[in-house]
Amino acid sequence: FTARADVILAVGFRFWSGEHFGEPPAWNERARYIQVDAVPVRLGQHVRVDLPIVGDPKTVLRQMVETAKRIGLDFSRHRHSPWAREVAEARRRFDRNLTELVDRARAQRPIHPSHLVRELCRVADRDATVVIDSFTLSGWIRHAFPARFPGQLLDSGPLAPVGHGVGMAIGAQLARPGKQVIAVIGDGGFGIGGWDMETALRYRLPVVAVVWNNSSWGPSFEELPLPRGRTEPFSMLPDIRYDRMFEILGCHAEHVSDPDQIRPALERALGAGRAAVVNVIGDPRVGHPRLGGNLLGSTRT
């Protein structure tokens, strides 16, 4: 569907803050909505739904396609419509701009998040499970990592919680034994839930935690209603050596401060056969690609 269409088919789609909760002018207030969701209470939660359908989105969509074929509807003529060409061109332009950005950031020091996630995508198996527990990296990895099956890319929702990554990675490893499971986690989240690596180590679960260590918790001082002159409350001790801490426990540990170190460190961690921590010293000036450099992910200029 498109946001300005007269009839909008929302299949398994939830209107959150990034979608402006379905409100105008981002969305057409006169449009009629068809919404498909497996959870009944979500239907019409944010937009007025003219045709609510309770069901598994994938199953319902497959049934719709099969029904269209059975009654003889031919959608092939729409493959080269102006709208289809516009979407294809937007996709090509986005991919081109992203590639150019990552190429420029290739040798940047401190390490740029786009280079880290590109190297991770190149090294990880095609069927690896990736858990997102870093607000800064959440936008970058969604640009780079092509999810190939449901549940391959996991997070805990749209409200940017932290600290869940290692626990979810343990669950994913138990559900998919023998497959690569990677938790991409910020230093803030690692401070909350990082000690779950002991559990992974104790039960011999080869979870790999890639720590985005930008010595920062979140928003900059200027964005918070705090008295002037106070010390920045969301900074952390610079460049904490999480790798050394967890190496003492028995984890495989890597410390990465140079772009050229990323790929070999990831390869060694993924091939270690036991719980591993890769401590990546990232650029604290770079934040979420959509929400800006000083919002939940970077505190320094």
Side-chain angles (χ1 to χ4, degrees):
F1 61 85
T2 63
R4 306 307 301 169
D6 294 326
V7 177
I8 297 175
L9 173 62
V11 182
F13 180 80
R14 300 178 69 180
F15 295 89
W16 286 97
S17 57
E19 293 77 37
H20 303 278
F21 296 102
E23 297 179 353
W27 297 82
N28 184 359
E29 60 184 338
R30 294 182 296 276
R32 292 180 294 166
Y33 281 86
I34 304 170
Q35 187 176 6
V36 181
D37 203 296
V39 182
V41 295
R42 293 179 187 166
L43 297 171
Q45 191 173 43
H46 294 117
V47 297
R48 185 195 71 255
V49 178
D50 298 275
L51 178 56
I53 301 175
V54 179
D56 173 71
K58 187 174 183 179
T59 301
V60 172
L61 189 59
R62 184 183 293 114
Q63 291 172 342
M64 293 173 67
V65 171
E66 292 173 352
T67 300
K69 291 179 179 178
R70 187 170 62 252
I71 64 177
L73 290 179
D74 180 16
F75 295 101
S76 60
R77 60 189 178 89
H78 297 293
R79 292 176 181 173
H80 304 291
S81 67
W83 180 81
R85 290 196 299 271
E86 180 182 351
V87 171
E89 176 56 30
R91 180 75 242 186
R92 285 192 294 269
R93 187 165 55 248
F94 174 82
D95 290 340
R96 182 174 61 250
N97 291 343
L98 183 61
T99 299
E100 292 173 355
L101 184 153
V102 178
D103 288 342
R104 289 195 303 269
R106 163 67 181 81
Q108 182 174 316
R109 293 171 176 79
I111 293 169
H112 193 280
S114 65
H115 180 52
L116 171 62
V117 299
R118 180 163 71 174
E119 292 295 270
L120 178 61
C121 291
R122 288 174 172 175
V123 170
D125 291 343
R126 289 177 59 85
D127 61 351
T129 299
V130 176
V131 180
I132 301 175
D133 187 0
S134 166
F135 191 85
T136 301
L137 286 189
S138 64
W140 296 103
I141 200 161
R142 282 189 175 91
H143 287 168
F145 189 86
R148 300 176 178 89
F149 55 85
Q152 185 174 19
L153 192 62
L154 300 171
D155 63 21
S156 63
L159 300 180
V162 295
H164 57 273
V166 178
M168 288 182 67
I170 288 173
Q173 182 59 247
L174 291 171
R176 307 187 68 225
K179 302 296 185 180
Q180 289 181 350
V181 178
I182 305 161
V184 177
I185 184 168
D187 46 1
F190 204 59
I192 295 174
W195 289 105
D196 284 339
M197 291 298 292
E198 184 272 339
T199 303
L201 191 65
R202 180 156 38 96
Y203 287 95
R204 298 174 181 165
L205 301 172
V207 168
V208 176
V210 179
V211 183
W212 177 248
N213 188 346
N214 62 355
S215 308
S216 168
W217 256 99
S220 70
F221 173 83
E222 289 75 14
E223 296 178 45
L224 298 173
L226 297 173
R228 294 290 173 179
R230 287 183 56 176
T231 303
E232 166 59 66
F234 284 87
S235 290
M236 300 175 65
L237 291 174
D239 305 340
I240 295 175
R241 293 297 300 266
Y242 297 104
D243 55 304
R244 290 178 178 172
M245 297 180 190
F246 288 88
E247 186 177 31
I248 293 173
L249 284 179
C251 292
H252 177 90
E254 299 281 348
H255 181 68
V256 176
S257 59
D258 186 275
D260 293 333
Q261 298 172 335
I262 296 174
R263 182 180 294 195
L266 291 173
E267 290 175 340
R268 289 191 294 268
L270 290 167
R274 66 182 191 274
V277 173
V278 182
N279 185 41
V280 181
I281 305 300
D283 193 337
R285 300 166 298 180
V286 182
H288 194 284
R290 286 187 57 201
L291 300 178
N294 283 324
L295 181 60
L296 290 175
S298 177
T299 65
R300 302 177 188 178
T301 58

